[in-house]
Structures are given as structure tokens and as C-alpha cells.
Amino acid sequence: MPMDRVSRKSPLTKPELHRRLREWLDGTNERIIGDPDVDQRIAWVWVVDGPLLAKFHADTTREAGREYLALASRDAGRLRWSVCLSSRGRPSKIGLGSEARVVDGLYLYLAHALVGKLPLGQVRSGLDSIAG
């Protein structure tokens, strides 16, 4: 069973994302978070973190979800997100932690409206503010 889909209109907070991702990992053996019958690049789960709005694509893998939660646990649930270049060279990918680590299989991207509006390396956590 896929992870419950979350719309852009009702995005999760990062703590809620962590809870739901853990429930999905513990309660299923699915390979990806989304429905395998949909376009895998579709936004499956939207998350808000202060003014930052991001989306997990449906093809985010179980292994990537596990690694994401391990990093979040290491940072006491306040995993920092920063803007990185995607494989297409766009400032839209989210890197994790202070080292802005890009996790294989974790398809986490900024909402299109924010692409290019935040500088590369701009770090966000639930407690940081975006510098102008």
C-alpha cells in the first residue's frame, strides 16, 4: 500500500512527515512511497517548513525513506534542508543536513514557484529563517 498522498493545499509539517514516513516503513513492504501505477515523477507528498514548500515524488524509494529518517533522527528531528542543483542543473533539489547530502532515491524538490528564488546552499530547518 502506498503512503497516503498529501496535496499541495494541505502540506505536512516536517514532524508529521517523519511520523507518517515511519508508519509507512513499519507497516508496508512497498518499494516506493507512491502508487506504482502513476507517473513516478508526480508530486506525492507535499511538505511545508516555514516559507519553504517542497514535494516528494511518487518514486521516492523505501531505502531513501529509511536513510532520510536516520538523518532526521541524528539531528533530533530537525533535519536541515538546503537548496541544491538537480540533475538537470536547476536549483530545485533538496539536500539534507549541514553537509547538504543528496540521497539516492530521495526525490525531494522545491515547489516550482520557489525554484530560483532561494540561493544555492540556503539552509532551512524548522527553526531557521530565510535570509533575504
Side-chain angles (χ1 to χ4, degrees):
M1 174 176 228
M3 193 170 164
D4 288 341
R5 192 159 183 197
V6 177
S7 75
R8 183 185 179 123
K9 291 181 182 180
S10 303
L12 301 177
T13 62
K14 279 173 38 179
E16 181 66 10
L17 165 70
H18 299 167
R19 185 186 71 73
R20 289 190 187 191
L21 187 55
R22 171 60 50 212
E23 285 177 357
W24 178 76
L25 286 168
D26 291 345
T28 76
N29 61 357
E30 297 294 326
R31 186 182 64 76
I32 59 173
I33 66 169
D35 182 339
D37 294 332
V38 302
D39 179 346
Q40 301 302 289
R41 295 164 298 178
I42 196 164
W44 196 258
V45 174
W46 286 87
V47 182
V48 66
D49 183 32
L52 188 93
L53 181 64
K55 57 190 173 182
F56 282 83
H57 286 187
D59 58 346
T60 294
T61 67
R62 174 175 218 78
E63 294 78 23
R66 250 192 229 112
E67 190 169 345
Y68 176 92
L69 286 181
L71 290 168
S73 178
R74 177 193 76 181
D75 292 344
R78 294 186 309 261
L79 183 61
R80 298 165 70 90
W81 288 2
S82 54
V83 180
C84 300
L85 292 177
S86 71
S87 61
R88 294 182 178 170
R90 295 183 66 218
S92 59
K93 181 85 172 157
I94 300 293
L96 305 175
S98 58
E99 64 277 3
R101 183 174 179 185
V102 174
V103 174
D104 286 339
L106 186 76
Y107 302 108
L108 176 59
Y109 298 94
L110 285 174
H112 291 300
L114 293 175
V115 172
K117 302 229 165 80
L118 298 174
L120 287 176
Q122 177 64 57
V123 177
R124 282 284 309 141
S125 77
L127 305 174
D128 295 338
S129 62
I130 290 192

